[in-house]
Amino acid sequence: MYENLDKHNKVIGIYLDLQKAFDVANHGTLLHKLHNYGIRGVALDWFRNYFSKRYQYTTINGVNSELTAVTCGVPRGSALGPVLFLVYVNDIKNAVPGDQIKLFADDTNLFVSGCTIGNTNFNSNVKLNKLCDWLIANKSSVNIEKTSYMIFSRDKANETLLCINNHVINKVSSCRYLSVIIDDELKWTDHINHVYKNL
């Protein structure tokens, strides 16, 4: 990002929050991806068995609902859960070839740069549409309320509008990224103030 700013390019950082990411991983799709990554034979049968015969029910005021088969989601609290989720989302990079999508658990980030803010805004929307196509194909979605974007630029530019499925995403001047608060001027003031208050 610094390299682009030094070249006086505009950079838009997009911070996506995948909605209920660990709960929507489709078992059939996950098994297919495991097969594509080389997990086959007995090992794949083991995973198929691991996902099968899982049921859940809800209890309200002592009344239980019917048992329902669980066909999606990675088991929470298990050692395999985070690994299986990473396998499930690993190919998201193919949605926007040539761009580096930053992934950490269910936090997905994309940084788009360009010579003008108009061009960067346009390219950002194109890439967001491609990401949305991947999410739909993988039975996932974005939490619009927790998704935001930030403009990194030497000069202030306000003429931007990013959308996901015709929903406008929030433009922010700072946001939390992997427990660090980043601001659009890269001054770290918000993060320092946050740490100071906690101390």
Side-chain angles (χ1 to χ4, degrees), residues 57-104:
Y57 68 92
T58 303
T59 301
I60 299 175
N61 295 330
V63 179
N64 297 337
S65 68
E66 293 182 9
L67 280 175
T68 304
V70 177
T71 59
C72 59
V74 293
R76 294 278 185 127
S78 67
L80 280 175
V83 175
L84 290 171
F85 175 75
L86 291 176
V87 168
Y88 193 78
V89 298
N90 186 55
D91 62 337
I92 195 172
K93 63 182 176 13
N94 298 331
V96 281
D99 286 288
Q100 283 195 336
I101 297 176
K102 316 288 188 219
L103 288 171
F104 186 83

Side-chain angles (χ1 to χ4, degrees), residues 40-177:
R40 299 189 182 145
V42 174
L44 188 62
D45 289 340
W46 185 87
F47 278 106
R48 189 174 286 110
N49 181 268
Y50 181 67
F51 292 131
S52 66
K53 297 180 182 176
R54 288 184 177 270
Y55 298 92
Q56 64 184 13
Y57 68 92
T58 303
T59 301
I60 299 175
N61 295 330
V63 179
N64 297 337
S65 68
E66 293 182 9
L67 280 175
T68 304
V70 177
T71 59
C72 59
V74 293
R76 294 278 185 127
S78 67
L80 280 175
V83 175
L84 290 171
F85 175 75
L86 291 176
V87 168
Y88 193 78
V89 298
N90 186 55
D91 62 337
I92 195 172
K93 63 182 176 13
N94 298 331
V96 281
D99 286 288
Q100 283 195 336
I101 297 176
K102 316 288 188 219
L103 288 171
F104 186 83
D106 57 345
D107 288 325
T108 306
N109 307 290
L110 178 64
F111 294 91
V112 183
S113 62
C115 296
T116 67
I117 195 63
N119 178 261
T120 309
N121 186 83
F122 176 81
N123 286 335
S124 296
N125 277 309
V126 168
K127 293 171 195 307
L128 276 173
N129 284 329
K130 289 180 178 179
L131 276 172
C132 282
D133 289 343
W134 182 93
L135 290 167
I136 290 167
N138 286 272
K139 299 176 176 64
S140 299
S141 61
V142 171
N143 185 335
I144 300 290
E145 291 179 4
K146 291 185 178 179
T147 294
S148 60
Y149 75 97
M150 196 182 307
I151 300 172
F152 300 95
S153 174
R154 298 288 185 210
D155 55 318
K156 290 300 175 188
N158 295 313
E159 61 278 9
T160 56
L161 185 68
L162 297 188
C163 299
I164 296 175
N165 293 333
N166 297 319
H167 295 284
V168 177
I169 355 179
N170 293 326
K171 179 184 168 189
V172 296
S173 58
S174 67
C175 72
R176 186 178 296 276
Y177 176 61

